[in-house]
Amino acid sequence: MATDIRTSELKAPIDAAEYLFRRLHELGVRGVHGVPGDYNLVALDYIQKTGLDWVGNCNELNAGYAADGYARVKGISAIVTTFGVGELSAINALAGAYSEYVPVVHIVGTPSTLSQKGGMLLHHTLGNGDFNVFANMSREISCASVKLEDPQEIPTLIDHALSECWIQSRPIYMTLPTDIVQKKVEGDKLKTPINLSVPKNDPEREDYVVDVVLKYLHAAKSPVILVDACAIRHRVLEEVHELVVKSNLPTFVAPMGKGAVDETLQNYYGVYAGDGSNPGVRERVESSDLVLTIGAIKSDFNTAGFTYRISQLSTIDFHSKHISVRFSEYPGVGMKGVLRKVIDQMGKLNIDPGPSTGRNAIASNEQDLSENQTITQAWFWPRVGQWLKNDDIVITETGTANFGIWETRFPKGVTALSQVLWGSIGYSVGACQGAALAAKETGNRRTILFVGDGSFQLTCQEVSTMIRQGLKPIIFLICNEGYTIERYIHGMDASYNDIQPWKSKDLLAVFGADRKESKTFQVKTKKELHDLFNDEEFSGAPYIQFVELYVPKEDAPIALKLTAEASARTNAKQ
């Protein structure tokens, strides 16, 4: 048999799929999400041999949500789908990851290059011979999009795309045709780790921006720090922590920034979201003469309906690719280097103390735990804060949970997952599976999900994957008869905001959970939930646990009500 000349010239021949999966392993990925399909089956054979595990989700949308949750805990993730029908099922989840700066590697198994060139009438196509249409759709929600077709180029294309995924913290899209999976590529490149370093700022430009920042910072009489999601996504939490501790300035987070700051610090005062804030928080932030925002995403739900009252004249915005000082913008100067020098050079600052805020304090009118006291949102979320432990992973669904968690003061090391900007209902269930898997891989941190009964009905199948993978999340299903957030936006009593009530906790048995390795609860009063929180076995999270938690249909966190009113006004504008 004749030897391929190009292959004979390779220093260390390796199959294309193996090269790809070995690079994913190098980046810390261990569990690969997705759904098998005939165009990706041969590629999936390489997962186990490269030290990875196949998760196997119930559908591609759930797999996308799970990959998102996994990446938020582990740093990066991977999902494998099949051409057309599979990738399009995942595209909503990946658009959310793009929107919220989450690095997900999307690998799509496609028909062979020969079939594509011949325009063959294959299944999973539109029947028009166009094999680029789905890739074109994904290109708009990917920071890099590559077709792995030329064996000579494949290692370089993979390495560059993975680097972009990590550095830009956004999804990438790769197509892997069936006839390329086993093609030999140059494996010698695996000896050199992928370069994941963020490009350094030009020293002179950086120093100039640092001087400008320090000038305004030293002149300020009552500066504050406001931390948001992109501080997490662009990996500057170490710098943020040093800045907060060393400066001792009053520090706040935006809703999407929950978990970015150690909330046990004495100079941390809570969530700022315009009119959705605690009154003391709102007054302190909006009266400041200088607000240092780090990684801000000023979306509607992140600002309680654009109700920020912070003048740009008193703002310095730190971003991954630029710094804005008042109305002056400095493109090409990233925040990581600037923050480091500001920390090192800032010296003594003027400090005006923050507001007096309770740390998970329950209002006096909510403290009655007698037998028939209904669970309320106002009581529940501070009580959750009292129950949480160091290093927990907390996932909240779009709706009452996303807004209620604003009033929960976290212990040290808590990681918070939510989807405030994209806001796809059902996201949290899939994200919980991915986060719980990542937690299992990194030391078995407790993983806790808060999801409404309406959202749960979209993605409940992923509980089956949690059981299959031996994961141990604690799932709180908030039973309030439907889509409460949408009721407050429009249609409080409309039938389209109602759902069919389920016996949701019975799904653990339906999905095959071993009764000895799972437990379900139904709680309807404050005392029942109080006692459950005090149960050491429950709190120890020894196995998957499911809690049906009943709250009144029209009860909602104050922040949700205010944001929904603002959203309704925005929707109604002519």
Side-chain angles (χ1 to χ4, degrees):
M1 180 177 177
T3 302
D4 186 333
I5 296 176
R6 286 178 296 181
T7 299
S8 67
E9 295 174 349
L10 298 175
K11 296 178 182 177
I14 189 173
D15 291 358
E18 183 173 352
Y19 185 97
L20 172 57
F21 289 127
R22 288 201 180 281
R23 281 304 201 194
L24 289 175
H25 188 281
E26 175 189 317
L27 297 185
V29 174
R30 293 298 179 269
V32 178
H33 292 87
V35 176
D38 61 334
Y39 294 132
N40 66 29
L41 294 175
V42 177
L44 297 185
D45 287 339
Y46 288 83
I47 288 179
Q48 190 171 5
K49 70 172 66 175
T50 52
L52 304 176
D53 295 310
W54 175 246
V55 177
N57 299 89
C58 296
N59 60 56
E60 291 88 356
L61 176 60
N62 289 357
Y65 290 151
D68 180 303
Y70 184 97
R72 293 188 194 219
V73 176
K74 284 291 292 280
I76 194 168
S77 67
I79 174 176
V80 180
T81 63
T82 198
F83 180 74
V85 295
E87 59 181 309
L88 293 189
S89 290
I91 203 168
N92 171 31
L94 291 159
Y98 185 86
S99 169
E100 301 219 348
Y101 292 90
V102 182
V104 179
V105 179
H106 185 195
I107 303 161
V108 180
T110 67
S112 70
T113 55
L114 188 63
S115 298
Q116 293 187 50
K117 289 174 183 176
M120 295 181 69
L121 193 63
L122 299 178
H123 61 287
H124 299 342
T125 71
L126 298 178
N128 60 2
D130 185 351
F131 289 87
N132 294 315
V133 60
F134 308 127
N136 291 339
M137 293 179 187
S138 287
R139 185 172 290 111
E140 298 299 318
I141 54 168
S142 308
C143 69
S145 182
V146 296
K147 295 181 177 181
L148 304 179
E149 296 179 348
D150 184 344
Q152 288 186 304
E153 296 180 352
I154 284 173
T156 300
L157 290 173
I158 289 173
D159 291 0
H160 175 72
L162 292 178
S163 175
E164 289 298 296
C165 182
W166 181 270
I167 292 171
Q168 295 195 41
S169 195
R170 274 182 155 162
I172 60 171
Y173 176 89
M174 292 183 177
T175 59
L176 182 59
T178 55
D179 60 332
I180 298 298
V181 171
Q182 297 175 309
K183 288 287 187 184
K184 298 298 182 184
V185 302
E186 182 56 83
D188 195 57
K189 289 176 69 69
L190 291 171
K191 295 177 182 178
T192 305
I194 296 175
N195 182 10
L196 302 177
S197 58
V198 176
K200 293 188 180 299
N201 297 325
D202 175 80
E204 288 189 11
R205 291 171 62 83
E206 181 176 270
D207 287 342
Y208 178 79
V209 172
V210 170
D211 288 344
V212 173
V213 169
L214 289 173
K215 181 183 77 171
Y216 286 107
L217 185 55
H218 287 138
K221 302 300 182 186
S222 60
V224 299
I225 298 169
L226 178 60
V227 185
D228 208 342
C230 281
I232 305 170
R233 306 291 189 268
H234 293 292
R235 305 176 184 90
V236 295
L237 291 188
E238 182 180 335
E239 288 81 3
V240 166
H241 180 72
E242 286 192 48
L243 177 66
V244 171
V245 171
K246 185 175 179 180
S247 71
N248 202 33
L249 293 176
T251 299
F252 308 83
V253 296
M256 290 179 71
K258 276 288 284 183
V261 173
D262 179 356
E263 299 187 9
T264 66
L265 293 173
Q266 290 302 308
N267 58 323
Y268 171 78
Y269 292 99
V271 174
Y272 174 71
D275 287 351
S277 316
N278 170 292
V281 167
R282 184 178 69 245
E283 181 180 344
R284 179 64 185 86
V285 173
E286 294 175 359
S287 65
S288 173
D289 60 350
L290 183 66
V291 180
L292 306 179
T293 76
I294 305 175
I297 299 178
K298 298 175 184 178
S299 70
D300 52 355
F301 278 15
N302 205 33
T303 62
F306 302 114
T307 58
Y308 268 24
R309 292 182 180 85
I310 305 173
S311 169
Q312 190 60 41
L313 275 173
S314 58
T315 302
I316 298 178
D317 294 315
F318 296 84
H319 292 284
S320 62
K321 295 181 180 179
H322 73 278
I323 308 293
S324 296
V325 181
R326 306 177 81 179
F327 285 104
S328 298
E329 186 164 316
Y330 301 93
V333 180
M335 61 182 165
K336 193 172 185 71
V338 173
L339 285 171
R340 171 50 54 202
K341 289 184 178 178
V342 167
I343 293 165
D344 293 341
Q345 299 175 30
M346 66 183 170
K348 185 174 176 58
L349 304 175
N350 295 313
I351 298 175
D352 190 7
S356 175
T357 56
R359 294 178 182 266
N360 293 316
I362 296 174
S364 57
N365 64 332
E366 292 285 348
Q367 293 180 5
D368 186 357
L369 295 180
S370 56
E371 292 294 335
N372 297 318
Q373 286 295 311
T374 302
I375 297 167
T376 62
Q377 299 277 351
W379 175 85
F380 178 62
W381 295 107
R383 185 65 185 87
V384 166
Q386 296 172 4
W387 172 72
L388 291 176
K389 298 179 179 180
N390 288 359
D391 301 319
D392 281 344
I393 298 171
V394 177
I395 305 104
T396 52
E397 176 61 58
T398 299
T400 57
N402 257 3
F403 292 89
I405 204 71
W406 296 7
E407 297 306 316
T408 300
R409 187 66 66 95
F410 288 159
K412 190 177 182 64
V414 169
T415 299
L417 277 66
S418 64
Q419 204 187 51
V420 175
L421 177 54
W422 186 244
S424 183
I425 61 173
Y427 157 83
S428 68
V429 184
C432 178
Q433 183 268 295
L437 180 65
K440 181 181 178 181
E441 294 173 2
T442 56
N444 255 343
R445 300 163 64 187
R446 276 200 322 182
T447 305
I448 303 158
L449 167 64
F450 299 97
V451 58
D453 51 4
S455 296
F456 180 71
Q457 291 191 3
L458 275 75
T459 49
C460 63
Q461 312 95 314
E462 224 42 45
V463 173
S464 174
T465 308
M466 299 177 201
I467 296 168
R468 181 186 180 197
Q469 293 292 329
L471 306 179
K472 304 175 182 179
I474 301 175
I475 300 171
F476 289 92
L477 184 74
I478 301 170
C479 301
N480 53 6
E481 303 179 48
Y483 303 118
T484 297
I485 184 172
E486 295 181 3
R487 294 189 197 281
Y488 275 94
I489 294 173
H490 182 79
M492 178 60 74
D493 298 309
S495 61
Y496 48 72
N497 285 327
D498 297 334
I499 60 170
Q500 169 62 30
W502 285 5
K503 296 178 180 178
S504 300
K505 67 185 179 63
D506 295 344
L507 286 175
L508 262 63
V510 171
F511 292 145
D514 186 333
R515 289 187 178 182
K516 296 179 182 179
E517 295 297 325
S518 62
K519 203 163 187 178
T520 63
F521 305 86
Q522 186 178 83
V523 295
K524 295 187 176 182
T525 69
K526 291 178 181 177
K527 186 175 188 311
E528 289 175 343
L529 187 55
H530 176 79
D531 291 344
L532 185 62
F533 280 151
N534 288 337
D535 185 319
E536 291 185 7
E537 182 181 4
F538 171 77
S539 297
Y543 34 63
I544 186 169
Q545 298 178 103
F546 194 103
V547 182
E548 282 186 357
L549 182 142
Y550 287 80
V551 298
K553 174 180 173 180
E554 296 183 9
D555 187 22
I558 295 296
L560 183 151
K561 295 177 182 178
L562 293 170
T563 304
E565 288 173 8
S567 182
R569 289 194 299 269
T570 300
N571 292 344
K573 284 183 179 178
Q574 300 290 326

XYZ file of all heavy atoms in Angstrom, residues 339-391:
425
model
N -5.374 48.036 36.001
C -5.750 47.782 37.392
C -4.530 47.437 38.243
O -4.406 47.897 39.387
C -6.780 46.647 37.466
C -8.207 46.985 37.039
C -9.051 45.720 36.951
C -8.846 47.981 38.011
N -3.648 46.621 37.680
C -2.450 46.232 38.430
C -1.636 47.459 38.831
O -1.189 47.588 39.983
C -1.613 45.276 37.580
C -0.232 44.923 38.096
C -0.210 44.469 39.532
N -1.134 43.356 39.778
C -1.619 43.035 40.955
N -1.302 43.748 42.031
N -2.451 42.013 41.096
N -1.436 48.388 37.904
C -0.624 49.572 38.211
C -1.363 50.543 39.122
O -0.742 51.200 39.968
C -0.191 50.255 36.916
C 0.860 49.455 36.156
C 1.359 50.189 34.921
C 2.457 49.362 34.221
N 2.939 50.029 32.980
N -2.675 50.640 38.977
C -3.455 51.496 39.874
C -3.333 50.977 41.309
O -3.132 51.759 42.250
C -4.931 51.550 39.428
C -5.796 52.170 40.530
C -5.074 52.342 38.137
N -3.426 49.663 41.475
C -3.289 49.056 42.809
C -1.921 49.379 43.401
O -1.801 49.758 44.575
C -3.482 47.530 42.720
C -4.921 47.186 42.351
C -3.100 46.852 44.035
C -5.115 45.753 41.890
N -0.888 49.241 42.599
C 0.481 49.437 43.088
C 0.796 50.897 43.401
O 1.648 51.176 44.254
C 1.481 48.908 42.045
C 1.411 47.386 41.886
O 0.875 46.716 42.797
O 1.869 46.879 40.844
N 0.092 51.826 42.718
C 0.484 53.234 42.820
C -0.528 54.126 43.535
O -0.250 55.311 43.749
C 0.719 53.799 41.399
C 1.817 53.101 40.619
C 1.927 53.609 39.186
O 1.628 54.780 38.907
N 2.366 52.752 38.277
N -1.677 53.607 43.937
C -2.760 54.506 44.340
C -2.526 55.227 45.673
O -3.043 56.333 45.874
C -4.094 53.760 44.382
C -4.221 52.693 45.421
S -5.805 51.863 45.275
C -5.555 50.497 46.407
N -1.805 54.629 46.599
C -1.569 55.304 47.876
C -2.845 55.514 48.655
O -3.827 54.791 48.504
N -2.855 56.576 49.496
C -3.988 56.852 50.377
C -5.109 57.539 49.604
O -4.871 58.463 48.820
C -3.544 57.718 51.551
C -4.630 57.965 52.591
C -4.081 58.713 53.785
C -5.180 59.066 54.788
N -5.892 57.871 55.276
N -6.362 57.096 49.850
C -7.528 57.658 49.166
C -8.504 58.231 50.189
O -8.485 57.878 51.365
C -8.233 56.572 48.339
C -7.388 55.827 47.308
C -8.213 54.708 46.668
C -6.851 56.777 46.239
N -9.369 59.111 49.703
C -10.451 59.618 50.546
C -11.546 58.561 50.627
O -11.991 58.041 49.598
C -11.031 60.904 49.954
C -10.024 62.035 49.946
O -9.349 62.270 50.951
N -9.895 62.724 48.820
N -11.975 58.233 51.824
C -12.978 57.181 52.000
C -14.177 57.734 52.758
O -14.040 58.236 53.874
C -12.398 55.966 52.763
C -11.243 55.351 51.971
C -13.499 54.927 53.022
C -10.527 54.231 52.699
N -15.323 57.668 52.118
C -16.590 58.030 52.745
C -17.324 56.721 53.009
O -17.591 55.966 52.064
C -17.396 58.919 51.792
C -18.605 59.532 52.467
O -18.734 59.369 53.685
O -19.426 60.145 51.756
N -17.629 56.381 54.245
C -18.178 55.053 54.554
C -19.427 54.706 53.743
O -20.169 55.591 53.295
C -18.508 55.157 56.048
C -17.614 56.220 56.560
C -17.478 57.211 55.443
N -19.655 53.412 53.613
C -20.817 52.932 52.887
C -22.064 52.951 53.750
O -22.022 53.318 54.925
N -23.198 52.530 53.175
C -24.470 52.564 53.906
C -24.550 51.467 54.955
O -23.810 50.481 54.916
C -25.505 52.325 52.798
C -24.773 51.479 51.803
C -23.352 51.986 51.816
N -25.479 51.628 55.860
C -25.740 50.591 56.852
C -26.680 49.566 56.224
O -27.823 49.883 55.910
C -26.377 51.201 58.100
O -26.727 50.194 59.017
N -26.175 48.356 55.993
C -27.000 47.319 55.364
C -26.943 46.055 56.205
O -25.893 45.666 56.709
C -26.501 46.996 53.936
O -25.123 46.610 54.001
C -26.649 48.188 53.021
N -28.083 45.400 56.355
C -28.130 44.160 57.110
C -27.524 43.016 56.322
O -27.647 42.958 55.102
N -26.857 42.119 57.015
C -26.257 40.959 56.351
C -27.183 39.764 56.546
O -27.143 39.097 57.570
C -24.864 40.697 56.910
C -23.895 41.826 56.575
C -22.509 41.618 57.157
N -21.653 42.757 56.829
C -20.845 42.820 55.785
N -20.777 41.803 54.944
N -20.101 43.888 55.556
N -28.039 39.550 55.544
C -29.053 38.486 55.580
C -30.005 38.650 56.765
O -30.484 37.670 57.343
C -28.388 37.102 55.624
C -27.646 36.791 54.346
O -28.141 37.038 53.257
N -26.442 36.257 54.481
N -30.272 39.903 57.102
C -31.214 40.190 58.180
C -32.639 40.029 57.660
O -32.976 40.516 56.576
C -31.013 41.608 58.697
N -33.454 39.331 58.416
C -34.857 39.128 58.052
C -35.697 40.194 58.733
O -35.558 40.428 59.945
C -35.320 37.715 58.460
C -34.532 36.664 57.664
C -36.823 37.545 58.236
C -34.792 35.233 58.088
N -36.552 40.849 57.957
C -37.391 41.915 58.501
C -38.234 41.387 59.663
O -38.667 40.230 59.665
C -38.296 42.470 57.402
N -38.468 42.263 60.632
C -39.183 41.846 61.848
C -40.577 41.312 61.552
O -41.049 40.375 62.213
C -39.282 43.025 62.823
O -39.925 44.136 62.201
N -41.239 41.854 60.515
C -42.588 41.397 60.192
C -42.595 40.074 59.428
O -43.650 39.551 59.083
C -43.331 42.457 59.376
C -42.698 42.721 58.022
O -41.487 42.541 57.870
N -43.491 43.128 57.062
N -41.390 39.525 59.154
C -41.296 38.254 58.424
C -40.780 37.119 59.300
O -40.572 36.007 58.824
C -40.356 38.417 57.209
C -40.883 39.322 56.108
C -41.971 38.659 55.281
O -42.160 37.439 55.397
O -42.643 39.377 54.510
N -40.558 37.383 60.587
C -39.852 36.417 61.422
C -40.738 35.364 62.099
O -40.225 34.434 62.709
C -39.037 37.162 62.477
C -37.890 37.965 61.879
C -37.078 38.703 62.930
O -37.320 38.546 64.129
N -36.123 39.511 62.487
N -42.037 35.485 61.971
C -42.952 34.537 62.605
C -42.843 33.167 61.936
O -43.063 33.028 60.731
C -44.384 35.070 62.484
C -45.387 34.200 63.244
O -44.985 33.158 63.810
O -46.586 34.569 63.259
N -42.474 32.147 62.710
C -42.317 30.789 62.169
C -43.404 29.844 62.686
O -43.220 28.625 62.675
C -40.941 30.232 62.553
C -39.720 30.930 61.959
C -38.439 30.247 62.438
C -39.775 30.959 60.446
N -44.538 30.391 63.073
C -45.625 29.527 63.530
C -46.120 28.654 62.378
O -45.866 28.930 61.207
C -46.771 30.365 64.108
O -47.221 31.319 63.162
N -46.867 27.619 62.709
C -47.154 26.504 61.803
C -47.655 26.906 60.416
O -47.279 26.306 59.427
C -48.177 25.567 62.458
C -47.624 24.822 63.665
C -46.521 23.839 63.304
O -46.489 23.370 62.152
O -45.682 23.546 64.172
N -48.504 27.907 60.322
C -49.180 28.170 59.049
C -48.643 29.387 58.296
O -49.312 29.903 57.398
C -50.685 28.330 59.294
C -51.302 27.052 59.833
O -50.977 25.957 59.366
N -52.171 27.193 60.828
N -47.455 29.826 58.640
C -46.895 31.008 57.970
C -46.378 30.647 56.572
O -45.444 29.865 56.405
C -45.767 31.612 58.809
C -46.245 32.349 60.039
C -47.063 33.570 59.693
O -46.669 34.401 58.862
N -48.235 33.688 60.310
N -46.994 31.245 55.563
C -46.623 30.986 54.174
C -45.226 31.515 53.875
O -44.820 32.565 54.387
C -47.641 31.680 53.225
O -48.938 31.181 53.518
C -47.313 31.404 51.776
N -44.508 30.801 53.046
C -43.178 31.252 52.617
C -43.336 32.478 51.721
O -44.119 32.468 50.755
C -42.441 30.136 51.854
C -42.214 28.933 52.772
C -41.106 30.633 51.305
C -41.773 27.684 52.030
N -42.597 33.525 52.014
C -42.621 34.732 51.187
C -41.242 34.973 50.587
O -40.225 34.529 51.125
C -43.012 35.966 52.015
O -42.022 36.167 53.044
C -44.379 35.790 52.659
N -41.216 35.700 49.482
C -39.938 36.039 48.846
C -39.091 36.890 49.790
O -37.873 36.710 49.861
C -40.201 36.807 47.541
C -40.995 36.047 46.489
C -40.151 35.106 45.647
O -38.925 35.119 45.726
N -40.811 34.295 44.836
N -39.702 37.791 50.508
C -38.965 38.688 51.400
C -38.277 37.923 52.530
O -37.205 38.311 52.991
C -39.915 39.738 51.977
N -38.891 36.826 52.985
C -38.283 36.004 54.031
C -37.280 35.014 53.458
O -36.214 34.766 54.041
C -39.382 35.229 54.779
C -38.859 34.263 55.798
C -38.509 34.533 57.092
C -38.627 32.847 55.614
N -38.070 33.383 57.726
C -38.132 32.340 56.847
C -38.788 31.969 54.546
C -37.804 30.994 57.025
C -38.466 30.629 54.716
C -37.981 30.145 55.942
N -37.617 34.464 52.308
C -36.862 33.340 51.762
C -35.421 33.686 51.427
O -34.491 32.968 51.819
C -37.571 32.811 50.510
C -36.855 31.683 49.822
C -36.644 30.472 50.469
C -36.379 31.816 48.514
C -35.989 29.425 49.845
C -35.728 30.779 47.880
C -35.532 29.578 48.544
N -35.184 34.767 50.721
C -33.831 35.017 50.193
C -32.811 35.369 51.272
O -31.682 34.856 51.245
C -33.884 36.055 49.081
C -34.658 35.509 47.912
C -35.914 35.852 47.510
C -34.241 34.446 47.040
N -36.313 35.075 46.433
C -35.305 34.204 46.127
C -33.087 33.670 46.937
C -35.230 33.234 45.132
C -33.010 32.704 45.943
C -34.074 32.501 45.062
N -33.148 36.186 52.279
C -32.185 36.348 53.383
C -31.960 35.043 54.147
O -30.840 34.766 54.591
C -32.852 37.405 54.274
C -33.783 38.133 53.377
C -34.277 37.122 52.391
N -33.012 34.220 54.268
C -32.854 32.939 54.960
C -31.925 32.017 54.180
O -31.142 31.257 54.778
C -34.230 32.277 55.153
C -34.188 30.984 55.972
C -33.753 31.238 57.400
N -33.604 30.000 58.170
C -32.506 29.261 58.232
N -31.425 29.644 57.549
N -32.449 28.167 58.964
N -31.995 32.060 52.851
C -31.062 31.305 52.015
C -29.632 31.738 52.318
O -28.721 30.911 52.453
C -31.380 31.497 50.517
C -30.220 30.998 49.640
C -32.666 30.771 50.139
N -29.425 33.050 52.445
C -28.087 33.560 52.752
C -27.539 33.028 54.065
O -26.335 32.791 54.199
N -28.423 32.821 55.036
C -27.991 32.273 56.321
C -27.609 30.795 56.198
O -26.816 30.291 56.993
C -29.119 32.426 57.349
C -29.469 33.868 57.674
C -30.717 33.973 58.548
O -31.285 32.964 58.979
N -31.156 35.207 58.808
N -28.198 30.108 55.218
C -27.981 28.661 55.057
C -26.783 28.323 54.173
O -26.151 27.288 54.328
C -29.259 28.042 54.478
C -29.137 26.607 54.072
C -29.037 25.520 54.901
C -29.116 26.091 52.736
N -28.963 24.350 54.157
C -29.008 24.685 52.821
C -29.185 26.679 51.471
C -28.959 23.861 51.695
C -29.144 25.866 50.352
C -29.029 24.473 50.480
N -26.442 29.200 53.235
C -25.356 28.917 52.303
C -24.027 28.730 53.035
O -23.819 29.243 54.130
C -25.223 30.050 51.275
C -26.362 30.195 50.263
C -26.131 31.414 49.380
C -26.516 28.940 49.405
N -23.110 28.000 52.385
C -21.790 27.719 52.948
C -20.694 28.279 52.042
O -20.928 28.569 50.867
C -21.587 26.203 53.088
C -22.553 25.501 54.015
C -22.258 24.001 54.052
C -23.192 23.257 54.981
N -22.899 21.784 55.012
N -19.510 28.370 52.585
C -18.354 28.794 51.786
C -18.212 27.911 50.548
O -18.396 26.685 50.616
C -17.063 28.692 52.604
C -16.979 29.755 53.670
O -17.858 30.597 53.827
N -15.900 29.715 54.446
N -17.884 28.538 49.428
C -17.550 27.855 48.168
C -18.737 27.172 47.484
O -18.546 26.385 46.555
C -16.423 26.830 48.385
C -15.161 27.468 48.924
O -14.818 28.564 48.449
O -14.526 26.889 49.827
